[in-house]
Amino acid sequence: MPRAYTNKLAKLHDDVPPMTEAKVRRILEEELQILLGNGELRTSEKRYNNSSESESAITRVFSHIDLCRPVGCASIAQVHRGRLHDHVTSTMATIPTRDVAVKIQNYEAFELMVRDLKNLKILAKWLRRSGELNFDVLSAVNELSKQIRAEFDFNQEAAHLQAFGDLLQQHRRKLSAASPLFRLQIDVPRPVASTQRLLLMSFLEGRSLSQLSQVSQNTTTSSKVALLSQKHLTMEILRILGEAWALMLFEPRNRPRVPASATNEKGMVSSPDLDTGVFHADPHPGNILLELSPANKKLGILDWGQVKRLRSRRVASIAELFLKIDQFHKAVNTQTIARTRNEVVTAFLALGIRVVHPNDVESVSRMALTMFDTAQGDPFLVADPFAPDSAVRQNGLVHLPGDLFFVLRVVQIFRGFAAAIDRSMGSSAFSADIRRWSLAQQFAPHAHKYLSRVRRYDNDSNVEDSNDEEE
């Protein structure tokens, strides 16, 4: 898309017009009253003449909060920075810092979102009938409609913050190995307290990658070097984020499995079952913060409301596709390239994807590589679905299983971020490195380990079944 359009649309990441201060104050007061009433937040101050009873919940909880200037505004909620009184405690966790991010949901956002999704369905049906886009957009919109309600439950997001924060903390060394020069760390906000419409969490410093991308497009080459240390930092950002998403998809969690019936007083799973195939489904640049200071070099991952859970069989089939794409990239002679291309097509169609011409290996393989990988070095891989020489235009995608949509979305967000960096750097050796970067190749070692575990489990199960039959 033209840069003028993408720059404007990028404002939806974290620069949507905010709610009025009066509206924010009213919502925050109501939700804090809930937290103080149910005891999730406690204030241990000793006041005289019962003055605390007449105080607002906001002044009882915060020593300071700026309700005039949010630090970020998106379509569903906006975030303000506040500081908790020293005497405020939480039942959810030990409060790691008094500086907190206060995420406040816009009460009107859900109805607007539902209306927008209905309009998107109408557009998707028109695109299908008109032939303007030879792709099953309707299945994607239907999946988004099913999943979107989760974003409006901040209690569930608080549980995700805790669970994924623990996972990524557990693998700190593995993640930092993807950033050997800058030693970047991945950070996730820690939950402090939540209602369905309010989330208090530790505040992460930094600037969003969407802000850095916009700055880099409008600065001189020498300024870009100063801003991002150009190629090394940017490549390490891509690699460490790729590593984080590989861990979410394929790394088993060292935690007991919790049945869905094990809910707390809010009716939610108190410790989500995060075995494998559970991942942050909205990693756009506005949700990634970069902090580069003498004390901290971190990438903060925000907004854990949109989390997708895949069944184990689906994770295995996706792992198989990433492995085949990796093998195709590594093929060096004509025979191996032909064989691995066929294997990519087989794994792609095994996902349940249906195309108009399944036997057209050339177009189906190009479709698989543009949909589920980020490498852009091959001029025959045209990502624009409206382009006359794109694989989707030449061989229509009739059906996309709904649960694949968020995997596709994650890959395409990574692809878009890499493409934006590539454009900002112009023609250089570094630009070529960016175009060659393959998310599928980064996922491949994790996918291989995952499939090995699955096969060992299946073999053990078969042995047990045969022993039972003999007995």
Side-chain angles (χ1 to χ4, degrees), residues 128-144:
R128 173 180 280 184
R129 288 196 306 269
S130 68
E132 283 292 321
L133 183 61
N134 212 5
F135 188 91
D136 180 19
V137 181
L138 187 58
S139 291
V141 175
N142 287 335
E143 175 70 9
L144 184 61

Side-chain angles (χ1 to χ4, degrees), residues 21-32:
E21 180 190 355
K23 185 176 182 180
V24 171
R25 187 176 296 277
R26 184 178 72 251
I27 297 171
L28 180 59
E29 181 70 22
E30 291 173 0
E31 300 303 315
L32 287 176

Side-chain angles (χ1 to χ4, degrees), residues 209-228:
L209 295 187
S210 60
Q211 292 173 330
L212 293 175
S213 176
Q214 290 171 36
V215 170
S216 70
Q217 290 175 10
N218 298 305
T219 54
T220 65
T221 302
S222 59
S223 297
K224 291 174 196 172
V225 173
L227 179 65
L228 290 177

Side-chain angles (χ1 to χ4, degrees), residues 162-164 166-167 252-257 271-275:
Q162 187 64 49
F164 284 100
D166 289 347
L167 169 71
R253 278 58 163 178
N254 295 327
R255 60 172 63 242
R257 297 173 67 90
S271 179
D273 170 14
L274 294 178
D275 187 13

Side-chain angles (χ1 to χ4, degrees), residues 423-464:
R423 285 198 305 271
S424 70
M425 296 303 166
S427 58
S428 65
F430 168 57
S431 181
D433 288 343
I434 286 287
R435 288 196 295 272
R436 284 193 296 267
W437 177 70
S438 166
L439 187 64
Q441 286 190 298
Q442 188 157 356
F443 281 1
H446 298 272
H448 176 74
K449 290 179 182 178
Y450 176 82
L451 290 172
S452 297
R453 287 193 299 268
V454 169
R455 288 169 186 138
R456 284 199 302 271
Y457 175 81
D458 288 344
N459 290 336
D460 291 345
S461 298
N462 291 334
V463 169
E464 290 178 7

Side-chain angles (χ1 to χ4, degrees), residues 90-127:
S90 167
T91 58
M92 181 175 286
T94 301
I95 300 177
T97 174
R98 292 286 141 184
D99 290 317
V100 292
V102 183
K103 185 174 181 178
I104 303 167
Q105 188 179 131
N106 187 338
Y107 284 7
E108 300 166 359
F110 183 75
E111 291 182 5
L112 291 172
M113 188 73 72
V114 169
R115 190 157 62 240
D116 286 346
L117 287 168
K118 286 181 179 178
N119 291 334
L120 275 176
K121 285 185 181 180
I122 293 170
L123 176 60
K125 290 176 181 178
W126 178 83
L127 287 169

